[in-house]
Amino acid sequence: LSKKEFLQIKESFVPQVLEKLRLLAEREAKLMFREYKQNPRALPDISTDISAAINRTTDALHVALSKDNISEDKFEELFPILQDFLPAKIVETSWNDIREKVPPTYIRNLLATILAGELVYREGVEYVNHISDQSLSVMAIEYLDQRRSVDSLKRKITTGEELSPTETKTLVSLLEHGGARTAIEFGGIENVPL
């Protein structure tokens, strides 16, 4: 953005940036306390572990998202993720120009950082640390694909849309596999946020 463009949107843009920062801080805090519950230790040490896991995953994704390692079709599929993480005012005013104004390497690095944060904040440090360096980049992109499938199921359930028999079986399998562990993380099924 030029200085003039920034000043035109500043009034709504700055609060949106602050809201994004608050949400990231909240995710960090929630993960810190989840990690503490699993393995009590000093919170600054947990914060350092979270940063290391995000940085390791980001580094792996930098390689995975390079032009040599990802098809243009797959990159195009990932590109819209940026919209969810940019302040709404930037998306509203500049989305159509982003490819012309932002260098491709920067966009790929931003995607790597976003995807790494998503993986670590949702699944935790230990989950990422148990994945080998060789597998991490491929798994992180696969994670995103599976996350979309789960989100699709979630959308159908929350809107009351009927699930196909295959989707019902998939949901039951997901609950059987990770439901109890997730309930424990919330302190019991009665404490799962609604």
Side-chain angles (χ1 to χ4, degrees):
L1 294 175
S2 69
K3 183 176 181 178
K4 181 182 176 185
E5 290 170 323
F6 173 74
L7 291 174
Q8 288 173 340
I9 66 169
K10 179 182 172 188
E11 198 169 306
S12 57
F13 174 70
V14 171
Q16 290 174 358
V17 169
L18 292 174
E19 180 60 25
K20 293 282 184 188
L21 291 173
R22 281 187 204 96
L23 289 172
L24 288 171
E26 180 182 343
R27 292 182 86 186
E28 177 94 7
K30 284 180 178 180
L31 178 56
M32 285 176 66
F33 288 109
R34 238 176 51 223
E35 293 286 328
Y36 180 83
K37 186 176 179 182
Q38 293 173 358
N39 182 14
R41 57 201 189 280
L43 291 178
D45 292 341
I46 294 172
S47 182
T48 300
D49 292 346
I50 292 169
S51 293
I54 290 172
N55 289 340
R56 179 174 165 255
T57 307
T58 300
D59 290 347
L61 282 163
H62 281 162
V63 173
L65 294 174
S66 71
K67 281 190 168 191
D68 297 335
N69 293 327
I70 191 170
S71 72
E72 199 56 40
D73 288 343
K74 186 65 176 178
F75 180 76
E76 289 303 316
E77 183 183 319
L78 296 173
F79 183 75
I81 292 168
L82 293 175
Q83 288 182 324
D84 295 334
F85 292 88
L86 293 172
K89 198 64 176 177
I90 291 291
V91 173
E92 177 188 319
T93 61
S94 303
W95 182 252
N96 293 334
D97 302 327
I98 197 166
R99 291 180 194 253
E100 290 79 40
K101 292 184 176 184
V102 180
T105 301
Y106 185 81
I107 290 172
R108 289 175 189 272
N109 289 342
L110 182 56
L111 273 172
T113 303
I114 289 168
L115 296 174
E118 278 297 289
L119 178 60
V120 174
Y121 286 135
R122 284 185 182 270
E123 302 302 330
V125 172
E126 290 305 311
Y127 178 81
V128 170
N129 286 347
H130 282 96
I131 301 168
S132 72
D133 289 342
Q134 297 79 15
S135 301
L136 185 55
S137 60
V138 172
M139 198 287 310
I141 291 176
E142 175 66 18
Y143 177 86
L144 176 67
D145 290 337
Q146 297 307 317
R147 185 77 228 151
R148 285 186 184 147
S149 297
V150 169
D151 286 346
S152 175
L153 283 173
K154 182 177 81 173
R155 180 188 47 75
K156 284 185 169 187
I157 291 167
T158 57
T159 62
E161 189 177 333
E162 189 171 333
L163 297 176
S164 72
T166 301
E167 290 170 327
T168 301
K169 288 177 185 176
T170 299
L171 184 59
V172 168
S173 293
L174 287 169
L175 287 170
E176 285 176 347
H177 183 75
R181 182 186 67 144
T182 302
I184 288 169
E185 287 181 10
F186 283 114
I189 202 159
E190 65 279 356
N191 296 319
V192 173
L194 303 175

